[in-house]
Amino acid sequence: QPTLLALSKGDHTLAIVNSVTLKVIARVPVGPDPHEVEASSDGKMAYVTNTGGGRSFEINVIDLVAHKALPNIDTKPLIGPHGIAFVAGKVWFSAEGSKSVGRYDPATGKLDWSMGTGQDRTHMVYVTSDGKKVYTTNVNAGTVSILADTLLPPPFPGTQPRSEWIQTVIEVSKGSEGFDVTPDGRQLWTAS
């Protein structure tokens, strides 16, 4: 059955709702400051960020089949997880308190990548389907960061090319939080 996932910040719960009948199938407890929820590609798991005013260290993990909470993901040293995406089998999240983006691999149970934006209040996150570009809004800085996994040419003859994440920062209106990317990937629209 197709389901809808709805967070209640006040009740600290994730409601799993039948999207046809709108009947609540289950309510699962989540952390003290839930902000965003994302389901895994197979629909079996959900991940909930707990921002904690930029001071929290946890992402809740929910088993959507058994309707129960699993052990949390500890995001330390990245603090204040907020925006979240599940792409290429991994959980990508913004970390407002660390001005960063991080990635968690459920297969290994570890944070396996992070990159700082240096921008104040890195908020929402979007990841391309190949995991090669990450877009974020940086609310207080009034910017959008584009992080791109880029293949750089060999620095010297006889050496190999290397991959490096490169950031491009674009100025937008202060207070820009939400955004979306057009289906063709050519434009990003922010909302202030």
Side-chain angles (χ1 to χ4, degrees):
Q1 282 283 5
T3 55
L4 172 69
L5 303 177
L7 285 174
S8 170
K9 287 184 181 184
D11 293 337
H12 313 289
T13 59
L14 172 70
I16 303 168
V17 181
N18 181 306
S19 62
V20 176
T21 66
L22 301 182
K23 180 183 178 214
V24 175
I25 300 165
R27 291 185 202 281
V28 182
V30 294
D33 192 26
H35 270 67
E36 307 296 330
V37 60
E38 182 77 12
S40 59
S41 302
D42 61 9
K44 292 181 180 179
M45 307 293 278
Y47 300 90
V48 175
T49 56
N50 278 271
T51 304
R55 295 179 299 277
S56 176
F57 298 96
E58 72 180 30
I59 295 176
N60 303 130
V61 183
I62 311 301
D63 182 329
L64 294 174
V65 177
H67 304 151
K68 67 177 187 176
L70 298 176
N72 294 334
I73 297 167
D74 184 341
T75 64
K76 288 180 194 139
L78 302 178
I79 57 174
H82 191 283
I84 193 163
F86 190 91
V87 175
K90 300 193 179 187
V91 179
W92 305 71
F93 60 96
S94 63
E96 285 190 358
S98 298
K99 301 179 184 180
S100 302
V101 176
R103 184 178 67 197
Y104 173 81
D105 185 349
T108 63
K110 296 183 187 249
L111 294 174
D112 68 356
W113 174 86
S114 66
M115 181 173 177
T117 64
Q119 302 294 300
D120 194 17
R121 207 165 154 224
T122 300
H123 193 64
M124 299 303 286
V125 66
Y126 175 93
V127 181
T128 57
S129 61
D130 61 2
K132 296 289 186 182
K133 281 191 179 173
V134 179
Y135 305 98
T136 70
T137 45
N138 305 298
V139 180
N140 294 352
T143 61
V144 167
S145 291
I146 301 172
L147 311 176
D149 188 0
T150 307
L151 188 62
L152 299 176
F156 306 104
T159 61
Q160 297 295 316
R162 64 184 174 85
S163 178
E164 183 175 317
W165 284 85
I166 296 176
Q167 176 179 219
T168 302
V169 177
I170 300 167
E171 199 170 310
V172 295
S173 299
K174 283 200 186 275
S176 292
E177 292 191 23
F179 72 96
D180 205 355
V181 176
T182 57
D184 64 7
R186 297 179 58 134
Q187 294 183 344
L188 181 149
W189 291 65
T190 64
S192 173

